[in-house]
């Protein structure tokens, strides 16, 4: 399965996310980087593995609804340049269209930021549109029609359980299993609560295609050996960047 490191960005700094309580987030302190600058933390994560995809959550844009894409810009300086899965609180078709004009940015459409299904319907078939189904506890965050109409979902779907983020309590296996059951052949990406290699192996056995990971990489609970072992063939594919289900068409 594919492991994608997460960069939660607030006020231009990578912050430590915990349980979705964004007003408490502070610049990250990590052995992987002396500073909390976006490019520095990303380079630190690449000491673990040569990740070619990063997930970036622009928390300022998610909270304000502003069209603000600068959180992804520092990653363009990395060599080799990674793809970026960017959640910037997209609410308007014009914003999604703008970000998709950059071939190395994937637009993550967070359900919590949507008023209806209009934006999702407009871009659902785009190769670089990703839907994030956002939950807090048992509550789905977003228009009920998004959950009840899986035919609208693009081919990559993140299942984000906010109160598990940074909590080290394990992924929401039951929810992931239930969503995978209705998702057809779509790629399901787990987000929230991943503690160690055992969690990743269990997700892989369930057929989960990928996982968004942050805390366990910074804490050392997921080592370079763990990442390479879990990525397996996916790790080889990531370096070669084929036209696979997790990448845009060649």
């Amino acid at each position: 399965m594919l492991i994608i490191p997460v960069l939660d960005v607030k006020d231009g700094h990578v912050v430590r996310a915990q349980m979705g309580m964004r007003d408490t987030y502070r610049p990250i302190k990590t052995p992987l980087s002396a500073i909390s600058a976006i490019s520095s933390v990303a380079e630190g994560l690449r000491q673990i593995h040569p990740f070619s995809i990063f997930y970036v959550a622009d928390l300022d844009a998610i909270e304000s609804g502003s069209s603000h894409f600068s959180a992804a810009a520092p990653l363009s300086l990395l060599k080799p340049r990674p793809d970026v899965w960017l959640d910037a609180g997209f609410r308007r078709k014009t914003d999604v269209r703008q970000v998709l004009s950059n071939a190395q940015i994937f637009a993550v459409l967070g359900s919590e930021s949507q008023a209806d299904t209009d934006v999702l319907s407009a871009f659902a078939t785009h190769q670089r549109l990703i839907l994030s189904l956002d939950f807090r506890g048992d509550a789905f965050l977003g228009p009920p029609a998004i959950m009840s109409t899986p035919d609208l979902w693009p081919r990559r779907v993140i299942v984000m359980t906010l109160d598990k983020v940074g909590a080290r309590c394990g992924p929401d296996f039951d929810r992931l299993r239930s969503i995978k059951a209705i998702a057809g052949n779509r790629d399901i990406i787990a987000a929230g609560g991943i503690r160690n290699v055992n969690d990743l192996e269990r997700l892989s056995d369930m057929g989960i295609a990928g996982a968004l990971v942050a805390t366990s990489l910074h804490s050392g609970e997921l080592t370079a050996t763990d990442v390479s072992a879990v990525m397996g063939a996916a790790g080889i594919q990531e370096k070669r960047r084929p036209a696979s289900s997790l990448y845009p068409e060649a």
Side-chain angles (χ1 to χ4, degrees):
M1 65 182 301
L2 190 63
I3 299 173
I4 303 167
V6 173
L7 300 170
D8 290 291
V9 178
K10 185 177 181 180
D11 297 327
H13 294 272
V14 178
V15 295
R16 183 177 184 273
Q18 190 168 23
M19 302 178 70
M21 297 182 293
R22 293 168 182 151
D23 57 340
T24 69
Y25 292 2
R26 298 294 181 268
I28 195 168
K29 294 181 179 179
T30 171
L32 302 178
S33 174
I35 57 177
S36 57
I38 299 168
S39 58
S40 180
V41 176
E43 290 282 16
L45 288 162
R46 277 188 167 177
Q47 295 172 20
I48 299 173
H49 184 83
F51 296 109
S52 67
I53 303 173
F54 286 87
Y55 174 97
V56 175
D58 184 337
L59 302 176
D60 297 312
I62 290 171
E63 290 293 321
S64 68
S66 61
S67 55
H68 182 60
F69 311 135
S70 62
L75 297 178
S76 66
L77 303 176
L78 271 59
K79 304 296 182 184
R81 182 177 176 180
D83 286 337
V84 177
W85 291 12
L86 177 64
D87 183 350
F90 301 116
R91 292 162 169 81
R92 300 181 300 180
K93 296 176 188 178
T94 53
D95 292 340
V96 175
R97 190 172 295 110
Q98 179 183 348
V99 78
L100 291 176
S101 67
N102 184 323
Q104 288 187 281
I105 299 183
F106 292 60
V108 177
L109 201 65
S111 65
E112 67 169 320
S113 300
Q114 306 310 300
D116 49 41
T117 61
D118 285 358
V119 178
L120 176 60
S121 298
F123 296 95
T125 60
H126 196 288
Q127 295 295 321
R128 287 185 286 112
L129 193 283
I130 302 169
L131 173 64
S132 179
L133 299 175
D134 302 325
F135 297 86
R136 186 180 298 280
D138 293 331
F140 174 66
L141 305 180
I146 290 180
M147 269 301 296
S148 63
T149 320
D151 288 348
L152 284 179
W153 299 354
R155 73 180 197 181
R156 301 176 190 85
V157 178
I158 295 168
V159 180
M160 174 78 70
T161 304
L162 288 168
D163 44 338
K164 286 183 173 288
V165 170
R168 297 183 178 179
C169 59
D172 196 336
F173 293 108
D174 290 341
R175 177 171 288 135
L176 286 159
R177 188 177 292 108
S178 65
I179 290 178
K180 181 170 173 52
I182 63 174
N185 62 356
R186 294 169 178 83
D187 291 322
I188 301 299
I189 314 297
I194 294 165
R195 299 163 292 190
N196 50 41
V197 69
N198 294 330
D199 285 341
L200 290 172
E201 289 172 346
R202 182 175 172 185
L203 291 170
S204 180
D205 290 343
M206 290 169 54
I208 300 302
L212 305 184
V213 182
T215 302
S216 56
L217 291 171
H218 293 287
S219 69
E221 292 165 287
L222 271 180
T223 66
T225 300
D226 293 335
V227 171
S228 295
V230 173
M231 295 273 273
I236 296 171
Q237 291 173 352
E238 184 192 24
K239 294 174 186 177
R240 294 177 181 171
R241 302 176 63 77
S244 72
S245 63
L246 287 172
Y247 293 94
E249 298 297 333

